[in-house]
Amino acid sequence: MSKITRLFEIVYILLDKQTVTAKELADHFEVSPRTIYRDLDILSEANIPIYTNKGKGGGISLLESYVLNKSLLSEQEQRDILSVLQGMKATHYPEVNRILTKMSGMFGFQQANWIEVDFTHWGDEKQERFQLIKTAILERHRLSFDYYGTSSYEKTARAVEPIQLWFKGRTWYLRAYCLDRQAMRVFKLSRMKDLIVLEENCTRSHPDAVQEEQEQTGWAAQTMVTFKLKINGALLYRIYDEFEEEQVARCEDGSFIVTASYPEDDWVYGYILSFGDMAEVLEPAHIREIIKSKLKNMIGRYT
């Protein structure tokens, strides 16, 4: 639990229970009493009237006349906080439902279930992989899995210290420190199999890991290709699903010219081929030749 969340909940508990001991708060939040006293100092510095009574029946209390001053936040700011919490709830963030309920009551707003996030494909009920990775990142546990890369086309066993889930180009990736390669790597979730959260904790601190990965091994380090496709108007649904408006130009014959940039690898060739005979590569010339070569090889398999 983050410090700011704990501070909010301490105030809520004091408003609700009137008097509570430091040990009770420490047990509730699973921290030390010393941490609780530091939190109380922070709240006191924020002009929240907390006082303590020693001896039997004593404890930590708020002045009886104190009411949380919601005017410190505008109504829009209060709604923004609840919206952020609602978004966290949609990703199954631990404990957030309890916090959301309390904050909604504190602000006097009804919860609006305005967002739902499902990370699976249609017809796919497996969310276990995403949830395991999220748990490992939040609890700082190492992961092991089998990975199918694009270069060797073979399965390799990996052990990593997970850093961040990353959504890019309609696909989920994991940024992690690979213990086998001793370097930052990016792994596509769909290519990860037999995922296990290990007992070992992450030992490295990676404050600049994501930036380092972006500069050295990320998409920025890959060769990007900008291509133009002429796509039959019958595939209008795919055009609107997969491209932004500024990438698309309509032709007089009802077809579309799409301009897009992707890292050049086997994936992008397969993506172009996924349009079948409803699309033609106009440029660049070398991509056009690669697609022609692949089509010839495909025809050869059927002759």
Side-chain angles (χ1 to χ4, degrees), residues 53-279:
N53 288 323
K54 295 183 179 180
K56 187 176 181 179
I60 303 161
S61 304
L62 288 170
L63 287 177
E64 291 184 7
S65 59
Y66 177 72
V67 177
L68 186 63
N69 185 4
K70 296 186 291 184
S71 65
L72 292 173
L73 298 169
S74 69
E75 182 175 325
Q76 184 58 51
E77 287 170 335
Q78 293 172 36
R79 292 188 182 279
D80 288 344
I81 289 173
L82 295 178
S83 293
V84 171
L85 290 171
Q86 189 75 49
M88 293 172 67
K89 176 185 176 183
T91 60
H92 308 286
Y93 192 89
E95 303 293 325
V96 76
N97 193 50
R98 175 171 55 87
I99 299 167
L100 178 60
T101 300
K102 292 181 177 180
M103 295 297 288
S104 298
M106 188 179 295
F107 292 150
F109 293 135
Q110 291 291 325
Q111 291 188 42
N113 190 20
W114 65 276
I115 183 172
E116 178 66 30
V117 180
D118 186 345
F119 296 113
T120 62
H121 297 291
W122 288 105
D124 182 4
E125 298 179 356
K126 296 180 180 178
Q127 295 196 40
E128 183 179 359
R129 185 183 305 159
F130 187 91
Q131 296 300 325
L132 284 175
I133 294 173
K134 184 184 72 172
T135 299
I137 292 172
L138 294 176
E139 298 182 0
R140 293 189 53 77
H141 281 287
R142 291 179 174 179
L143 288 169
S144 71
F145 52 87
D146 292 331
Y147 191 70
Y148 294 82
T150 57
S151 56
S152 63
Y153 300 100
E154 294 181 356
K155 178 178 69 175
T156 58
R158 300 295 184 97
V160 305
E161 294 192 351
I163 305 297
Q164 183 186 67
L165 280 163
W166 179 38
F167 189 76
K168 177 73 175 179
R170 307 178 189 87
T171 302
W172 282 101
Y173 298 87
L174 171 66
R175 286 180 166 128
Y177 185 85
C178 181
L179 299 171
D180 304 283
R181 304 294 190 267
Q182 293 291 296
M184 286 295 299
R185 289 291 186 268
V186 176
F187 302 96
K188 197 171 184 178
L189 262 63
S190 60
R191 296 178 187 162
M192 298 165 64
K193 309 297 179 185
D194 299 322
L195 185 70
I196 299 173
V197 179
L198 303 175
E199 292 293 329
E200 296 94 325
N201 292 321
C202 297
T203 58
R204 293 170 176 79
S205 176
H206 303 295
D208 301 316
V210 173
Q211 180 65 30
E212 174 189 337
E213 174 271 319
Q214 287 177 317
E215 293 174 354
Q216 297 182 9
T217 62
W219 286 54
Q222 294 181 282
T223 301
M224 301 292 289
V225 59
T226 299
F227 57 83
K228 285 187 177 182
L229 291 179
K230 186 174 183 179
I231 302 177
N232 191 295
L235 293 184
L236 182 62
Y237 68 95
R238 280 196 64 178
I239 293 170
Y240 282 116
D241 277 347
E242 301 173 25
F243 302 101
E244 300 298 328
E245 186 176 355
E246 59 270 17
Q247 296 176 299
V248 179
R250 186 163 194 146
C251 303
E252 292 183 359
D253 62 1
S255 63
F256 294 84
I257 303 296
V258 172
T259 304
S261 297
Y262 290 109
E264 184 174 349
D265 55 19
D266 284 343
W267 176 88
V268 81
Y269 308 143
Y271 178 68
I272 292 171
L273 289 168
S274 73
F275 290 94
D277 63 353
M278 305 291 274

